């Protein structure tokens, strides 16, 4: 007879994912073991395997949850009635806010996809494409001529994501620039730079 799901299943699952992300971020995908993750999570290996049969399953769920939360937050922050410039500023701020306290999950996303199946990668890329599309739709409103002579919308959009995705490498709370201030800097670089792109 199959085990029934505990009332606090989702809470425990979220805690396991958080602990696993920390282990993967510190040790790397190859060196981290299910035993390390169970120990960090203060659970038995048997309980960990009840939730996740493998490291790959953990990696996939860490990335999927991270992306789904980001997609929901960005959708909630979008203001269709605002100017495209202000919409972009709000979207960038929301991404950087969503990245707060998510460095471990972000590192797993950047470094863990080689362990995943084609089907898993397709699911994650579909979420990523929806997020990117929200930004590219806003950027093309700012400069409708971006794709006039050659396809430049995607390079410009991905340049913005490059600025946002690597902020965890250097940003420190309490430093000379706040998270919102950096969001404004990144947005201004795109807003001013996109005017000159032909």
């Amino acid at each position: 007879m199959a085990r029934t799901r505990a009332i606090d299943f989702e809470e425990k699952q979220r805690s396991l994912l958080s602990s696993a992300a920390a282990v993967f971020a510190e040790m790397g995908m190859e060196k981290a073991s299910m035993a390390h993750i169970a120990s960090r999570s203060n659970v038995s290996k048997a309980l960990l395997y009840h939730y996740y049969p493998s490291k790959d399953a953990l990696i996939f769920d860490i990335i999927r949850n991270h992306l789904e939360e980001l997609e929901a937050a960005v959708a909630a922050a979008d203001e269709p009635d605002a100017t495209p410039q202000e919409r972009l500023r709000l979207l960038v701020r929301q991404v950087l806010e969503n990245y707060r306290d998510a460095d471990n999950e972000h590192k797993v996303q950047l470094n863990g996809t080689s362990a995943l199946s084609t089907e898993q990668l397709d699911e994650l890329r579909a979420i990523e494409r929806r997020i990117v599309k929200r930004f590219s739709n806003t950027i093309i409103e700012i400069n409708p001529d971006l794709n006039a002579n050659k396809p430049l919308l995607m390079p410009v959009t991905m340049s913005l994501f490059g600025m946002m995705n690597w902020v965890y490498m250097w940003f420190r709370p309490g430093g000379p620039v706040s998270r919102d201030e950096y969001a404004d800097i990144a947005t201004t670089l795109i807003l001013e730079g996109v005017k000159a792109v032909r």
Side-chain angles (χ1 to χ4, degrees):
M1 185 171 156
R3 282 177 73 174
T4 57
R5 204 175 250 209
I7 294 172
D8 59 349
F9 182 91
E10 289 184 6
E11 185 181 328
K12 284 182 179 174
Q13 186 179 43
R14 182 170 287 278
S15 177
L16 287 173
L17 290 176
S18 179
S19 296
V23 172
F24 286 132
E26 290 169 19
M27 302 184 71
M29 311 301 144
E30 296 297 322
K31 291 183 181 177
S33 69
M34 294 295 270
H36 289 126
I37 294 165
S39 176
R40 174 69 65 92
S41 305
N42 294 314
V43 300
S44 67
K45 275 178 40 175
L47 181 61
L48 178 59
Y49 277 110
H50 170 63
Y51 284 84
Y52 289 100
S54 66
K55 288 197 309 184
D56 295 358
L58 273 164
I59 290 168
F60 174 66
D61 246 15
I62 290 166
I63 300 172
R64 181 177 58 185
N65 284 3
H66 180 56
L67 287 174
E68 286 177 344
E69 287 176 5
L70 178 60
E71 182 181 22
V74 167
D78 199 0
E79 292 285 351
D81 295 332
T83 65
Q85 292 81 356
E86 186 55 28
R87 282 181 71 191
L88 185 64
R89 195 173 302 278
L90 291 168
L91 292 174
V92 172
R93 281 189 175 191
Q94 188 56 59
V95 168
L96 292 180
E97 182 56 38
N98 222 68
Y99 286 174
R100 186 191 299 271
D101 302 323
D103 286 358
N104 293 333
E105 290 78 6
H106 198 62
K107 287 176 187 173
V108 175
Q109 180 189 355
L110 292 172
N111 301 312
T113 54
S114 62
L116 303 181
S117 70
T118 301
E119 293 77 16
Q120 289 171 324
L121 289 172
D122 286 346
E123 184 175 339
L124 298 179
R125 286 172 182 152
I127 303 170
E128 289 173 333
R129 281 193 294 271
R130 292 194 298 268
I131 296 168
V132 169
K133 184 76 171 169
R134 191 175 292 274
F135 279 81
S136 64
N137 285 346
T138 306
I139 290 170
I140 199 69
E141 285 186 52
I142 294 165
N143 183 352
D145 295 329
L146 263 183
N147 280 350
N149 299 317
K150 54 185 172 179
L152 296 174
L153 178 59
M154 189 53 63
V156 169
T157 304
M158 296 317 293
S159 294
L160 174 57
F161 273 92
M163 286 190 278
M164 295 188 294
N165 287 347
W166 292 98
V167 72
Y168 82 94
M169 293 288 290
W170 60 267
F171 183 84
R172 297 294 174 266
V177 177
S178 73
R179 195 170 289 270
D180 278 352
E181 286 170 337
Y182 180 68
D184 288 343
I185 291 169
T187 305
T188 299
L189 287 171
I190 292 296
L191 289 176
E192 294 301 314
V194 81
K195 294 176 186 175
V197 177
R198 298 278 185 271

